């Protein structure tokens, strides 16, 4: 083989084949990179969509919770207002000054500060106020049991009818004990005949002055019971004195 001979053997064939195969492999690699970019974008889109859906669900849940809290707060406010109106009326009947039943500016400021956190904070504050109002009602009820105005009608009215019914008979007994079967005792008996009716009328008026009925109710003066209370002592004492005068 001479120095000017051209090599056309397998080596050059492999070089040519390698040269021909190079651009094809490059195009394949480029195609693979272009396919990976849409897949990555789709994954990012799905992640963003999931995140947005989570935010939307959280916002909807928060809005629903606020709506439920607002509705519960309105219902609680109605109950608290009704209870406070009734309690205010009872305190006025007990002689509490009206100015003491109105909140002061610092109390209003503190209440506004406690309710600045939205419907949930308002609901919590209203429930706390309702609890305090119910505790105050319990304290008033415990004190009211010691007041005659809260007693049953007959027991309460007996405090008025009883002393008036016993007043004249006691005077008659004292006169008889002091003078015996004389003219003074007879005069006391005669003067005492209309006294049960006078005692009943005085007791009827006194009950209206001493006790008050609840709003929308009528004061029970227990008329029949009061009449018996005023009549029985007078009849018993009069009968006893008559028997004593006849025996004397």
């Amino acid at each position: 083989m001479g120095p000017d001979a051209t090599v056309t053997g397998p080596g050059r064939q492999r070089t040519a084949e390698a040269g021909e195969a190079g651009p094809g492999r490059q195009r394949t690699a480029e195609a693979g990179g272009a396919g990976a970019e849409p897949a990555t974008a789709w994954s990012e889109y799905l992640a963003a969509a999931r995140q947005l859906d989570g935010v939307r669900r959280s916002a909807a849940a928060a809005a629903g919770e606020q709506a439920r809290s607002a509705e519960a707060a309105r219902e609680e406010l109605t109950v608290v207002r009704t209870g406070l109106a009734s309690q205010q009326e009872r305190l006025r009947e007990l002689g509490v000054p009206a100015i003491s039943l109105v909140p002061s500016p610092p109390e209003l400021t503190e209440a506004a500060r406690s309710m600045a956190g939205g419907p949930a904070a308002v609901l919590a504050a209203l429930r706390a106020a309702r609890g305090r109002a119910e505790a105050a009602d319990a304290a008033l009820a415990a004190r009211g049991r010691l007041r005659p105005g809260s007693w049953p009608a007959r027991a309460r009215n007996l405090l008025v009818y009883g002393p008036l019914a016993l007043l004249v008979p006691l005077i008659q007994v004292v006169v008889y004990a002091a003078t015996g079967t004389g003219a003074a005792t007879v005069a006391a008996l005669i003067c005492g005949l209309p006294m049960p009716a006078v005692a009943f009328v005085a007791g009827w008026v006194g009950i209206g002055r001493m006790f008050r009925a609840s709003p929308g109710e009528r004061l029970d003066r227990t008329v029949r019971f009061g009449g018996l209370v005023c009549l029985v002592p007078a009849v018993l004492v009069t009968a006893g004195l008559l028997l004593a005068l006849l025996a004397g």
Side-chain angles (χ1 to χ4, degrees):
M1 181 179 298
D4 296 330
T6 301
V7 179
T8 59
R12 177 164 298 184
Q13 184 178 359
R14 285 194 299 271
T15 304
E17 291 177 355
E20 292 176 358
R25 289 183 179 179
Q26 184 176 2
R27 287 193 298 270
T28 302
E30 292 176 355
E37 290 179 358
T40 303
W42 178 252
S43 300
E44 293 176 353
Y45 169 77
L46 290 180
R50 293 191 188 98
Q51 184 177 4
L52 180 62
D53 183 66
V55 172
R56 182 184 61 82
R57 290 177 181 272
S58 299
E65 183 65 26
Q66 285 190 353
R68 288 189 294 271
S69 298
E71 182 64 24
R74 281 191 290 267
E75 296 177 357
E76 194 73 22
L77 179 60
T78 302
V79 175
V80 171
R81 280 179 173 173
T82 303
L84 289 179
S86 175
Q87 189 178 99
Q88 187 177 33
E89 184 65 25
R90 293 176 61 187
L91 290 172
R92 285 179 178 174
E93 291 178 358
L94 293 174
V96 178
I99 192 173
S100 299
L101 302 177
V102 179
S104 62
E107 291 173 341
L108 291 175
T109 303
E110 183 63 26
R113 186 182 297 110
S114 65
M115 293 185 294
V122 173
L123 179 59
L126 288 173
R127 285 176 176 172
R130 182 180 180 183
R132 289 192 293 269
E134 290 177 350
D137 284 336
L140 287 175
R143 290 187 58 185
R145 296 188 188 100
L146 303 177
R147 299 177 64 250
S150 62
W151 295 0
R154 290 189 174 184
R156 176 197 66 198
N157 295 342
L158 184 62
L159 295 176
V160 182
Y161 288 126
L164 294 174
L166 294 175
L167 180 60
V168 174
L170 287 177
I171 293 175
Q172 291 173 338
V173 171
V174 170
V175 171
Y176 173 75
T179 62
T181 56
T185 302
V186 175
L189 284 175
I190 295 173
C191 293
L193 291 178
M195 286 298 106
V198 175
F200 173 77
V201 173
W204 192 89
V205 174
I207 289 172
R209 295 293 182 85
M210 294 178 63
F211 308 113
R212 295 182 180 179
S214 301
E217 296 183 358
R218 185 178 180 182
L219 182 62
D220 186 7
R221 288 181 167 87
T222 59
V223 175
R224 295 182 179 179
F225 176 73
L228 288 175
V229 170
C230 294
L231 184 61
V232 169
V235 170
L236 293 177
V237 172
T238 300
L241 292 178
L242 285 175
L243 291 175
L245 289 175
L246 293 174

